[in-house]
Amino acid sequence: MKRRLALALLCALPALLRAADRPNIILILADDLGYGDVGCYNPESRIPTPALDRMAREGLRFTDGHAPDSVCTPSRYGMLTGRYSFRTRLEAGTLKPWDTPLIEDGRLTLPALLRQAGYQTACIGKWHLGWTWPTRDGRPPASTEGLGNIDFTQPIKDGPTTRGFDTYFGVDLPNFPPYAFIDQDRTVGQPTEVAPLTEGGINRPGPMVPGWNLTEIMPEITRRAVRYNETAARAPAPQPYFLYFSLT
């Protein structure tokens, strides 16, 4: 499903960008969504999806799509760059905690292309494509012993706002450190506590902001996405926008 949406969008881009009225684009990537989970594809689905079913009735459905991979990082890389991730250093699996950026500096991305066409671009939600994490001791970032050596007083480089997005808010992964929201290129608050490891929750050691709660991630990024959509649509001189809403 991920590849299908990406291909459909990329195929439609030339016509969209030539149009006199450039439409707003909202791309929702649902982590771990199965083909048969959405009602319009499977009437016997146990998950109610009335909004998506309505979009299907009023728009188009694609029934012959293929994913570039079945896991997080390569799917996101393929969707945002149009390339297979096995052409990068990541030939299998996903990025690990504190990994460096997978999207190469200077690589044309979907949001960068849309920015060239006059769009404002935003990424809200899960990133999982790597950052350049600053450290206090100049050594590679690590947190296997708890807090680790990451310097959260410094900006986190080479993230979404350097790969075509004007704005970013979200988390790297819900179960990867740092256990904190990231706004643009800084954590919201200082991760000063060692995260407690729990079965089915935080399962990798690392720093956490005080009071962090995994269950608050989805409601907060959803509020942010809705707010971005409403604010951009009501602007006095509205500019076409591209919102990449990446669920965790």
Side-chain angles (χ1 to χ4, degrees), residues 207-223:
M208 175 184 78
V209 295
W212 181 250
N213 189 333
L214 289 175
T215 64
E216 296 176 0
I217 297 175
M218 281 287 288
E220 180 62 20
I221 63 174
T222 301
R223 285 191 292 267

mmCIF file of all heavy atoms in Angstrom, residues 207-223:
data_model
loop_
_atom_site.group_PDB
_atom_site.id
_atom_site.type_symbol
_atom_site.label_atom_id
_atom_site.label_comp_id
_atom_site.label_asym_id
_atom_site.label_seq_id
_atom_site.Cartn_x
_atom_site.Cartn_y
_atom_site.Cartn_z
ATOM 1 N N PRO A 207 17.834 7.918 26.937
ATOM 2 C CA PRO A 207 17.369 9.058 27.721
ATOM 3 C C PRO A 207 15.917 9.404 27.427
ATOM 4 O O PRO A 207 15.420 9.212 26.319
ATOM 5 C CB PRO A 207 18.307 10.188 27.282
ATOM 6 C CG PRO A 207 18.711 9.810 25.892
ATOM 7 C CD PRO A 207 18.758 8.312 25.863
ATOM 8 N N MET A 208 15.245 9.956 28.443
ATOM 9 C CA MET A 208 13.820 10.263 28.363
ATOM 10 C C MET A 208 13.551 11.592 29.059
ATOM 11 O O MET A 208 14.186 11.912 30.070
ATOM 12 C CB MET A 208 13.032 9.144 29.061
ATOM 13 C CG MET A 208 11.545 9.354 29.168
ATOM 14 S SD MET A 208 10.744 8.021 30.116
ATOM 15 C CE MET A 208 11.168 8.512 31.789
ATOM 16 N N VAL A 209 12.626 12.382 28.502
ATOM 17 C CA VAL A 209 12.209 13.593 29.206
ATOM 18 C C VAL A 209 11.334 13.177 30.388
ATOM 19 O O VAL A 209 10.602 12.187 30.299
ATOM 20 C CB VAL A 209 11.430 14.562 28.282
ATOM 21 C CG1 VAL A 209 12.314 15.096 27.172
ATOM 22 C CG2 VAL A 209 10.195 13.894 27.710
ATOM 23 N N PRO A 210 11.403 13.882 31.488
ATOM 24 C CA PRO A 210 10.588 13.513 32.648
ATOM 25 C C PRO A 210 9.094 13.476 32.302
ATOM 26 O O PRO A 210 8.584 14.363 31.614
ATOM 27 C CB PRO A 210 10.893 14.637 33.647
ATOM 28 C CG PRO A 210 12.259 15.127 33.268
ATOM 29 C CD PRO A 210 12.308 15.018 31.770
ATOM 30 N N GLY A 211 8.427 12.418 32.732
ATOM 31 C CA GLY A 211 6.993 12.292 32.516
ATOM 32 C C GLY A 211 6.596 11.763 31.151
ATOM 33 O O GLY A 211 5.409 11.777 30.804
ATOM 34 N N TRP A 212 7.550 11.281 30.360
ATOM 35 C CA TRP A 212 7.242 10.813 29.005
ATOM 36 C C TRP A 212 6.274 9.641 29.037
ATOM 37 O O TRP A 212 6.387 8.734 29.852
ATOM 38 C CB TRP A 212 8.530 10.396 28.300
ATOM 39 C CG TRP A 212 8.346 9.923 26.888
ATOM 40 C CD1 TRP A 212 8.482 8.657 26.409
ATOM 41 C CD2 TRP A 212 7.987 10.738 25.763
ATOM 42 N NE1 TRP A 212 8.232 8.612 25.061
ATOM 43 C CE2 TRP A 212 7.939 9.873 24.636
ATOM 44 C CE3 TRP A 212 7.716 12.088 25.596
ATOM 45 C CZ2 TRP A 212 7.616 10.347 23.357
ATOM 46 C CZ3 TRP A 212 7.400 12.553 24.337
ATOM 47 C CH2 TRP A 212 7.346 11.690 23.227
ATOM 48 N N ASN A 213 5.295 9.672 28.129
ATOM 49 C CA ASN A 213 4.277 8.631 28.057
ATOM 50 C C ASN A 213 4.036 8.283 26.599
ATOM 51 O O ASN A 213 3.608 9.136 25.816
ATOM 52 C CB ASN A 213 2.981 9.121 28.717
ATOM 53 C CG ASN A 213 1.946 8.018 28.865
ATOM 54 O OD1 ASN A 213 1.934 7.054 28.100
ATOM 55 N ND2 ASN A 213 1.076 8.161 29.847
ATOM 56 N N LEU A 214 4.295 7.032 26.239
ATOM 57 C CA LEU A 214 4.150 6.609 24.844
ATOM 58 C C LEU A 214 2.737 6.822 24.307
ATOM 59 O O LEU A 214 2.547 7.103 23.122
ATOM 60 C CB LEU A 214 4.532 5.134 24.703
ATOM 61 C CG LEU A 214 6.003 4.750 24.851
ATOM 62 C CD1 LEU A 214 6.143 3.240 24.809
ATOM 63 C CD2 LEU A 214 6.841 5.383 23.763
ATOM 64 N N THR A 215 1.733 6.667 25.162
ATOM 65 C CA THR A 215 0.351 6.753 24.690
ATOM 66 C C THR A 215 -0.040 8.175 24.284
ATOM 67 O O THR A 215 -1.093 8.366 23.683
ATOM 68 C CB THR A 215 -0.626 6.247 25.760
ATOM 69 O OG1 THR A 215 -0.556 7.102 26.909
ATOM 70 C CG2 THR A 215 -0.289 4.829 26.168
ATOM 71 N N GLU A 216 0.783 9.157 24.590
ATOM 72 C CA GLU A 216 0.470 10.539 24.222
ATOM 73 C C GLU A 216 0.986 10.922 22.841
ATOM 74 O O GLU A 216 0.677 12.002 22.339
ATOM 75 C CB GLU A 216 1.061 11.495 25.270
ATOM 76 C CG GLU A 216 0.444 11.327 26.654
ATOM 77 C CD GLU A 216 1.105 12.211 27.693
ATOM 78 O OE1 GLU A 216 2.050 12.952 27.324
ATOM 79 O OE2 GLU A 216 0.691 12.167 28.864
ATOM 80 N N ILE A 217 1.766 10.032 22.214
ATOM 81 C CA ILE A 217 2.370 10.376 20.924
ATOM 82 C C ILE A 217 1.313 10.539 19.846
ATOM 83 O O ILE A 217 1.238 11.569 19.164
ATOM 84 C CB ILE A 217 3.406 9.315 20.505
ATOM 85 C CG1 ILE A 217 4.565 9.276 21.501
ATOM 86 C CG2 ILE A 217 3.935 9.625 19.099
ATOM 87 C CD1 ILE A 217 5.574 8.175 21.211
ATOM 88 N N MET A 218 0.495 9.525 19.634
ATOM 89 C CA MET A 218 -0.498 9.571 18.548
ATOM 90 C C MET A 218 -1.488 10.723 18.701
ATOM 91 O O MET A 218 -1.753 11.441 17.730
ATOM 92 C CB MET A 218 -1.216 8.231 18.445
ATOM 93 C CG MET A 218 -0.422 7.174 17.720
ATOM 94 S SD MET A 218 -0.343 7.482 15.934
ATOM 95 C CE MET A 218 -2.015 7.079 15.478
ATOM 96 N N PRO A 219 -2.075 10.953 19.892
ATOM 97 C CA PRO A 219 -2.987 12.093 20.014
ATOM 98 C C PRO A 219 -2.306 13.434 19.716
ATOM 99 O O PRO A 219 -2.910 14.307 19.077
ATOM 100 C CB PRO A 219 -3.451 12.017 21.471
ATOM 101 C CG PRO A 219 -3.297 10.584 21.845
ATOM 102 C CD PRO A 219 -2.081 10.122 21.118
ATOM 103 N N GLU A 220 -1.051 13.592 20.154
ATOM 104 C CA GLU A 220 -0.378 14.877 19.956
ATOM 105 C C GLU A 220 -0.035 15.123 18.488
ATOM 106 O O GLU A 220 -0.274 16.217 17.960
ATOM 107 C CB GLU A 220 0.892 14.954 20.808
ATOM 108 C CG GLU A 220 1.665 16.259 20.661
ATOM 109 C CD GLU A 220 0.873 17.480 21.095
ATOM 110 O OE1 GLU A 220 -0.112 17.336 21.857
ATOM 111 O OE2 GLU A 220 1.218 18.601 20.656
ATOM 112 N N ILE A 221 0.506 14.115 17.799
ATOM 113 C CA ILE A 221 0.835 14.354 16.395
ATOM 114 C C ILE A 221 -0.439 14.516 15.561
ATOM 115 O O ILE A 221 -0.439 15.242 14.559
ATOM 116 C CB ILE A 221 1.746 13.248 15.813
ATOM 117 C CG1 ILE A 221 1.060 11.889 15.808
ATOM 118 C CG2 ILE A 221 3.072 13.207 16.555
ATOM 119 C CD1 ILE A 221 1.868 10.797 15.109
ATOM 120 N N THR A 222 -1.525 13.870 15.969
ATOM 121 C CA THR A 222 -2.802 14.059 15.264
ATOM 122 C C THR A 222 -3.303 15.483 15.438
ATOM 123 O O THR A 222 -3.734 16.125 14.473
ATOM 124 C CB THR A 222 -3.853 13.058 15.774
ATOM 125 O OG1 THR A 222 -3.375 11.726 15.558
ATOM 126 C CG2 THR A 222 -5.169 13.247 15.045
ATOM 127 N N ARG A 223 -3.251 16.007 16.674
ATOM 128 C CA ARG A 223 -3.643 17.400 16.902
ATOM 129 C C ARG A 223 -2.788 18.346 16.075
ATOM 130 O O ARG A 223 -3.299 19.316 15.500
ATOM 131 C CB ARG A 223 -3.516 17.734 18.390
ATOM 132 C CG ARG A 223 -4.606 17.172 19.273
ATOM 133 C CD ARG A 223 -4.547 17.765 20.670
ATOM 134 N NE ARG A 223 -3.356 17.321 21.388
ATOM 135 C CZ ARG A 223 -3.326 16.267 22.187
ATOM 136 N NH1 ARG A 223 -4.413 15.533 22.370
ATOM 137 N NH2 ARG A 223 -2.213 15.941 22.824
#
